[in-house]
Amino acid sequence: MPVLPLTEQGHFLQLSRQQPDLFSKPIDFSLTNGTHVWISAPGIISFAPAQKSNKSIVLSSGVHGNETAPIELCDGMVKDILTGKLVIQQRVLFLFGNLAAMDIAERFVEENMNRLFSGAHSQPPGLVNDERKRALELEQAVSSFYSLRDDQRCHYDLHTAIRGSKNEKFAVYPFRHGRPWKTEQLQFLSACGVNTFLLSEAPTTTFSYFSSNQFDADAFTVELGKVMPFGQNDMARFDATDQTLRRLITSDSMEYHNFDPQQVEVFKIHQIINKSHDDFRLNFADDAPNFTDFPVGYLLAEETGRQYKTDTPGEAIVFPNANVAIGQRALLTVIPVEINHNWQ
């Protein structure tokens, strides 16, 4: 396709959604400022600066199609790079995940894409729907991007949550398999306005775990607020995130204030509660925000043959959703932890 519509107006996401056939074959060109542009598929675009960089950064959004604020943030950055308003100094790959779900304003079309990474897309019954095929395509895009350079790798998978949160912005730090947690990453995300962190203590099939485990990337699932329709987000609430991500991709290095553990809250997963029967139900208000804590012995959920109760002081709920498919996670509980010698 002619690159003029992209470089004049930067409408990559719009064209990806409305005319995906334009990107049925890879497109490779350079901007007048020397930035190299590579489009491998609809919703998948990477940029490399004219000069040598020291980071390879992945920014993904729209893995759930109705989580619109991160999509709008990333769309704005892509537009500004394509039109020359933003000049990058680091390699960056933008991934707009579930384009079909965006078009119907739903979390997904057939299957939750953020349960399909690390090869889960090809487990039985195999690549039977578009979400599974797209998860594979996104994995391949990340693999190709990281394979070109052996530098610092980062992946911030940007989301918004189904319900509100006592801590509006929080991040899930994928399981590290014995590698230390990094305070520098907490400093960076704190600059983005994220001051609450949830340490995952087991492998998962999320997108951020894929990049962390497969490529030793500094990867996070970042929850930036509550789900809202396109055009209805108060984008002022995301100013710190937007400005910090822009600095990340346009700067040689990032400087932070000295790390203060008292300025962040860190939790670890305590219980993973999966839905086993159709009569599964949660025993708290539908609008109870993430990180609401309950007293020891509180009945959180129940279903045929099973009750799920709190058993630890300070135990709080995260990601409650009784409407998931049988066998999928319906609720996490978390407990606070201190930053210790396992951090660097």
Side-chain angles (χ1 to χ4, degrees), residues 109-277:
V109 178
E110 295 185 60
E111 193 170 2
N112 181 353
M113 190 185 291
N114 212 25
R115 300 292 178 271
L116 295 175
F117 294 99
S118 295
H121 46 71
S122 297
Q123 295 299 312
L127 298 170
V128 295
N129 60 47
D130 288 342
E131 264 111 359
R132 287 177 170 244
K133 295 171 185 175
R134 183 64 166 178
L136 172 59
E137 187 173 44
L138 296 176
E139 283 188 355
Q140 292 171 335
V142 171
S143 299
S144 296
F145 180 70
Y146 283 147
S147 69
L148 294 176
R149 289 285 298 274
D150 186 19
D151 49 13
Q152 182 183 353
R153 295 167 175 170
C154 310
H155 180 183
Y156 304 104
D157 184 32
L158 307 177
H159 291 255
T160 50
I162 294 172
R163 63 178 65 206
S165 176
K166 289 175 68 176
N167 309 359
E168 182 185 53
K169 296 177 176 65
F170 62 96
V172 180
Y173 205 153
F175 182 52
R176 298 278 292 163
H177 292 273
R179 293 168 296 175
W181 316 98
K182 297 183 179 180
T183 55
E184 181 186 75
Q185 286 297 308
L186 269 59
Q187 290 173 287
F188 168 74
L189 287 164
S190 293
C192 290
V194 178
N195 294 304
T196 301
F197 301 89
L198 174 54
L199 309 181
S200 180
E201 300 204 316
T204 65
T205 51
T206 63
F207 201 6
S208 62
Y209 174 78
F210 166 76
S211 294
S212 175
N213 185 52
Q214 294 292 321
F215 302 101
D216 195 21
D218 294 316
F220 292 81
T221 303
V222 185
E223 302 284 350
L224 294 175
K226 193 174 185 299
V227 167
M228 295 293 289
F230 279 115
Q232 295 186 29
N233 294 292
D234 178 2
M235 298 308 290
R237 303 181 76 89
F238 308 100
D239 279 349
T241 306
D242 187 36
Q243 292 170 14
T244 304
L245 290 174
R246 286 170 180 258
R247 285 202 306 273
L248 178 67
I249 64 178
T250 60
S251 304
D252 282 331
S253 61
M254 298 283 286
E255 294 184 2
Y256 310 102
H257 298 296
N258 290 333
F259 179 67
D260 182 357
Q262 302 304 314
Q263 298 300 310
V264 300
E265 290 188 88
V266 182
F267 296 83
K268 69 176 182 179
I269 293 172
H270 184 62
Q271 295 190 61
I272 301 173
I273 298 172
N274 295 324
K275 177 178 179 178
S276 299
H277 298 280

Side-chain angles (χ1 to χ4, degrees), residues 1-20:
M1 64 165 288
V3 298
L4 201 58
L6 291 174
T7 56
E8 280 193 342
Q9 298 169 329
H11 291 327
F12 171 68
L13 177 58
Q14 180 180 322
L15 291 170
S16 292
R17 294 175 63 187
Q18 296 177 356
Q19 302 180 64

Side-chain angles (χ1 to χ4, degrees), residues 38-101:
W38 172 255
I39 300 170
S40 60
I44 300 177
I45 185 169
S46 66
F47 301 95
Q51 72 283 358
K52 186 177 180 180
S53 61
N54 55 36
K55 294 185 181 72
S56 292
I57 301 159
V58 177
L59 298 177
S60 54
S61 63
V63 167
H64 296 135
N66 63 343
E67 299 178 3
T68 60
I71 299 169
E72 293 178 1
L73 282 179
C74 289
D75 185 32
M77 283 185 271
V78 169
K79 285 179 178 176
D80 285 352
I81 296 170
L82 285 169
T83 58
K85 296 177 183 176
L86 195 66
V87 181
I88 61 166
Q89 294 195 45
Q90 305 294 347
R91 298 177 69 238
V92 56
L93 169 66
F94 288 92
L95 301 170
F96 297 95
N98 200 333
L99 300 174

